[in-house]
Structure formats: C-alpha cells, structure tokens
Amino acid sequence: MAAAAAAPRPPAERLASLALWALVLAPPLYFAPSAKEPFRLPKLMLAEWLALASLVPLAWMLRRVENVEWRDLWQLPALRAALPLAAVATVGLAVTVHPLHVREALADLWIGAACLVGWSAALPAGRLERLLGGLLWPAVALAAIGILQFHGLQLLPLAPRLGSSRYAITSTAGNTGDLAAFLVLPCLIAQWRLARGGGVSAVATRERGGRPGAGWGWPAAALAVCAYAIALTQTLAALLALALGSATLWVGARRRDAAGWQRLGLAAAAAAVLAAGVVAGLPALRARVLEKTNLVRQGDWNAVLTGRLDGWRAAVWMLGEHPWAGVGHGAYRAEFAPAKLALLDRGVAFHSGQQQNFVNAHDEPLEVGADSGVPGMLALAWGLGVLVVAARARLAAAGRREERGTAANDANAATANPARAATANPAQAANPANAATAANPAKAATANPANPAKAANPANPANPANPANTANAASAANASALRRQRAAGAFAAAGLVALGVLSLVDFPFRVALVAFPALLFLAWLLHPAAVEIAV
C-alpha cells in the first residue's frame, strides 16, 4: 500500500507543477521599474504566460483519454461554473461598439476560465492544497516589505508615493489596495492550517519523529505578519473581508459540542481584544476608523465608500441603457465618461470632484451587469450557485462524518465489551479470584503494570496484538481526519465569504496579483473530490 501511495507522478504533471509553483512565487515579487505601468501589467503578463505554460502539459495528458463526451465534461463543477459567463461575454463581442477593449478583456477572461477548469480537472486535490500553502511564502515577503516601508525603510527602487502614509505601503504590489487584497487569502490559508492541526498532519509528524503540533509555528507567524501588514495599509475593505472570512472559518471548524462553542467564544473575545489593541496602537488606522465613523454619522455614504458610489451609479446606468447585451466585456472604462455626463445632467452629485474616471466599477457583479447585461448577471448567479454547492458539499461531508463517528461511539459504549471491562481496572484484572483474568492470560498480561506492551504507546504499531491499542489508533486517525475535513469545509466557506466581500467593493478578479491565487482557491474548491466526498 505504501508503494502504491509513493507511485511516481507523470512527467506532464511534474512540468505543470513546476509552472504552477513559478506562478505562485514569481508574479507577486515581480515588477518592472522602467515601465509606464510597473506593477499590474507586468504581473498580468507574467502570470498569464506561466498559467498557460501549466496548462500545456495538462492538456498533453488528455491523450490517454480515449473518448470524451460533452455529458462527461458537464459533470466537471469548474466547467459548469465558468462556461456560461465566458460564453455570454464572448457573444457580446458581436454587438459592442468597443471591440478593441472587449477583445483584450476576453483574452484575460478565457485564460482565467481555462486555468480554473484545467487545474480543477487535471490536478490532484493534494497538489492544489500544497500550492495554496505555498502562497504563504510570497505573502510573507510582500507583507515584510510593506512593514519595512511603514517604518521608513524603502527597499525598492521606486519614487515615494504622494498622499498619506498609507499610500506609501505598496511593497511589490504597487498599490496599497492590491497589497491588502492579496494578503487576505494567505491569512485564511494560515488559519486553515492551524484549524486542521498545523502545517502537517499529526500522523506525518509522528512518522518524521517530531511532536504533534510542531507545524503550527510557520502558519501562526505568517498569519501575524500578513494581518499586521493589512492593518498598516488601513484598507478597510480588506480588513472587513479578513474579519468575516476568519469568523466563518472558525465557526465552521469548531467542534459540534458545548466545548466547541465555549472555545469559539473565548477565541472571538481574544480576537476582539487584539483587534482593539491594533486599532489603538496604530494612530493612522485609529484616525481612519474615526473619520469613517464620523462620515457615517453625517450620512455621507459616498465619502464613506471613498467615491465608490460614482462607479456603481455609472454601472447601473450602463445596465439600464444596455440591459440585454451590455456595453461589452471590458468596455466599462470606455463608457464611464458618457455615463458620468448623463448622470450629471440628471443632477447626480459625484464625490467632490475626486476620482474623475473609473476604470472599473469597484463591484464585480455590477460591472458584469454593465459589461454583459442581464444575461451576464444570470450567468454570474449560476456560477456562484455552483460555488456555493461545492462549499456546502464539503461542509455537509464533514457533518455526516461526525454524525457517523458519534453514532459509532454511542454503539460501542452501549455494547458490553469484556476485554475493556477487564483492562479498565488493574486491581480487578490482577485478582486471582477473577475468573476472566485467570482464564485469559492475554488479559492478565495487559493488566500487569510490568508488561512492556502496556507501557508502549497505544498508537505504536509495534503492539498490534492489543485490540485496545488498535481501537485507540483508529479513533485518533478518525478524529484527525474529521478535524482536517471539517477545517477544509470551513476554509471553503471562508474563502468564498472573503472573496465575496472584496468583489462587492473592489475588483479582485481583474488584478492578476489577486486573481490567480483566487483561481487556485476556486480550482481546489471545485475539484471533483469536493463532490465525491459528499456522497
């Protein structure tokens, strides 16, 4: 069985993994100081080429498939989620008045859709998990550079940013908001690893000779560094996404008993105290929170949202003017000026003359509606439904496994077990008057304190003859598997919540730094195993 588990991977999968590891590590750190746009565009080009490079060997592996039917392809959750939206956006090319914008945006959309489907269908779930864990390395690097910038150490050959101090914390992301949005998912990944029992499983830790829990240090340190960097950027949208995602993760990962709720309450109280301490200890963040609070009291919601209502109103106007075809995927930027002029003629007040032009709507659903009309919004809703079903499948699988484990424990407790009764009391087992002990030397040997087998670790495979040890080992393995499965379901829900919050107030899927890690997460979420484990 061990030999089967250690079977070598196909060369094509190795090449794909190499390109994917380059995708995880290189684009976050890459920028071109001499370029007009030194950050977003270079990252996008590098990330797309690496993503395509990872798909080539995976496509080569398809030669082993003798027959492919559309019915079988439609069973892939990733294809069901991505294809309708991509098809609707492509149809818009025939009716748009901005074909150049649409062609450029469609290329990015189809690359992303191909990556989502290819990674989810061709890569093992464990490989995707390791790639997600690898995101912690570039995340910590970017967060550390941003922290040093906050403390006055500029390590990059870039001119200082104008404006308040928060805009100088860009790291290699080039934009404060991009940096904060990128760090949200690694923070959740670190918490996922902590929730499932550290960086590696307890079984793997024992096999390597270490102590259980030894893998907690790296996820905890990565979480602390990345969360601190997000706080320094003062990006409230990212902080809200992290808070809601973290709450979702720990609620889903808790034990389903009173002790689980008690621990969750204590952890929530500790997190609230820590958050209050961070806000109090960072004067700039405290001032920003107070500023937004005063704006809420004044009712100036456009200022609270930093002018985002302007972009949202323009998107709604485009949807109203082009309800069935939209303006074309990626043509929002070209239509913003006409939309703003039309709204100004209606007497709509914009945000104090700031942010004269919006390249994106700062709201993914509204921008999809503006780009592709009502059909695009329906296709997006369909895709979101597929994602929610996949997340619910993981959560439901963990719940059913826990119910089966509880039922098995109750059945064992209700069943009379002579061996357990004999070994539960050493004095009784050692009593010569005890007929069961006298008649069963194995029980007497087990009850004898001098027996080396009793001193052995109950999970030690050197003592396989002891049924109690075997039961304990099986129980520990089941508990570990349940914890990992429960943590995976919670992480699936938490990632969707965090990406949903970012998508409602920003455009995470239109920035390569954030989009490709998000695609890796969605490929893991939509992996066929997410459906199989629910069966």
Side-chain angles (χ1 to χ4, degrees), residues 89 92-93 95-98 101-102 105 325-332 367 370-373:
L93 180 62
V95 295
T96 184
V97 296
H98 306 285
H101 292 81
V102 175
V327 299
H329 182 69
Y332 176 92
E367 188 161 354
D371 286 350
S372 303

Side-chain angles (χ1 to χ4, degrees), residues 28-422:
L29 298 171
Y30 176 69
F31 64 99
S34 60
K36 181 179 179 180
E37 168 51 69
F39 296 101
R40 284 184 178 175
L41 184 58
K43 291 179 186 296
L44 174 63
M45 296 176 65
L46 177 61
E48 287 186 342
W49 278 111
L50 290 173
L52 290 173
S54 72
L55 293 178
V56 172
L58 295 179
W60 178 255
M61 293 172 61
L62 289 176
R63 76 189 191 281
R64 297 178 299 180
V65 181
E66 297 180 357
N67 186 25
V68 178
E69 296 183 2
W70 172 251
R71 179 178 56 187
D72 298 330
L73 290 176
W74 190 247
Q75 296 301 318
L76 297 175
L79 186 67
R80 294 201 306 269
L83 184 60
L85 182 59
V88 170
T90 304
V91 171
L93 180 62
V95 295
T96 184
V97 296
H98 306 285
L100 295 179
H101 292 81
V102 175
R103 288 172 189 162
E104 180 182 352
L106 279 178
D108 298 335
L109 176 63
W110 276 104
I111 290 174
C115 290
L116 178 63
V117 176
W119 296 342
S120 177
L123 290 173
R127 181 70 50 195
L128 292 171
E129 287 191 12
R130 285 188 285 274
L131 288 168
L132 287 172
L135 285 171
L136 295 180
W137 293 100
V140 169
L142 266 68
I145 295 174
I147 292 171
L148 292 177
Q149 288 175 333
F150 174 79
H151 292 286
L153 298 176
Q154 178 59 264
L155 303 180
L156 305 178
L158 299 171
R161 290 266 181 168
L162 300 177
S164 63
S165 60
R166 67 182 292 261
Y167 294 108
I169 306 173
T170 62
S171 187
T172 59
N175 180 280
T176 302
D178 292 357
L179 173 62
F182 167 70
L183 294 177
V184 170
L185 187 58
C187 284
L188 295 179
I189 293 171
Q191 294 179 75
W192 172 34
R193 289 197 160 197
L194 292 173
R196 71 181 189 177
V200 296
S201 67
V203 175
T205 301
R206 285 193 296 267
E207 290 177 352
R208 298 173 186 176
R211 68 183 190 281
W216 291 35
W218 166 240
L223 173 61
V225 172
C226 293
Y228 180 54
I230 295 176
L232 292 180
T233 65
Q234 306 167 43
T235 307
L236 300 183
L239 288 170
L240 178 61
L242 177 58
L244 293 180
S246 301
T248 302
L249 191 150
W250 290 107
V251 168
R254 78 188 189 283
R255 289 172 51 185
R256 304 300 195 269
D257 54 15
W261 282 109
Q262 184 178 9
R263 293 177 183 176
L264 180 64
L266 294 175
V273 172
L274 180 61
V278 170
V279 173
L282 295 175
L285 179 60
R286 182 172 66 252
R288 183 168 170 79
V289 171
L290 292 176
E291 176 190 2
K292 295 296 184 180
T293 302
N294 292 332
L295 291 173
V296 170
R297 293 173 180 172
Q298 297 170 12
D300 191 353
W301 290 103
N302 203 7
V304 172
L305 297 169
T306 321
R308 285 179 172 83
L309 282 181
D310 299 346
W312 298 353
R313 289 166 178 159
V316 172
W317 182 88
M318 295 178 202
L319 178 60
E321 293 293 317
H322 309 276
W324 300 113
V327 299
H329 182 69
Y332 176 92
R333 67 178 70 187
E335 287 289 326
F336 178 79
K340 182 176 181 179
L341 292 174
L343 291 172
L344 287 173
D345 290 340
R346 297 179 184 178
V348 176
F350 281 70
H351 183 47
S352 302
Q354 302 178 24
Q355 191 66 36
Q356 299 297 326
N357 188 41
F358 272 74
V359 175
N360 300 100
H362 285 267
D363 185 293
E364 293 282 9
L366 284 180
E367 188 161 354
V368 169
D371 286 350
S372 303
V374 174
M377 298 191 75
L378 293 176
L380 177 63
W382 167 268
L384 292 176
V386 175
L387 293 174
V388 171
V389 168
R392 286 174 60 89
R394 291 184 179 273
L395 288 170
R400 282 193 292 271
R401 183 167 190 157
E402 188 166 9
E403 290 176 359
R404 289 195 298 266
T406 302
N409 291 338
D410 293 343
N412 290 338
T415 303
N417 191 336
R420 182 179 300 174

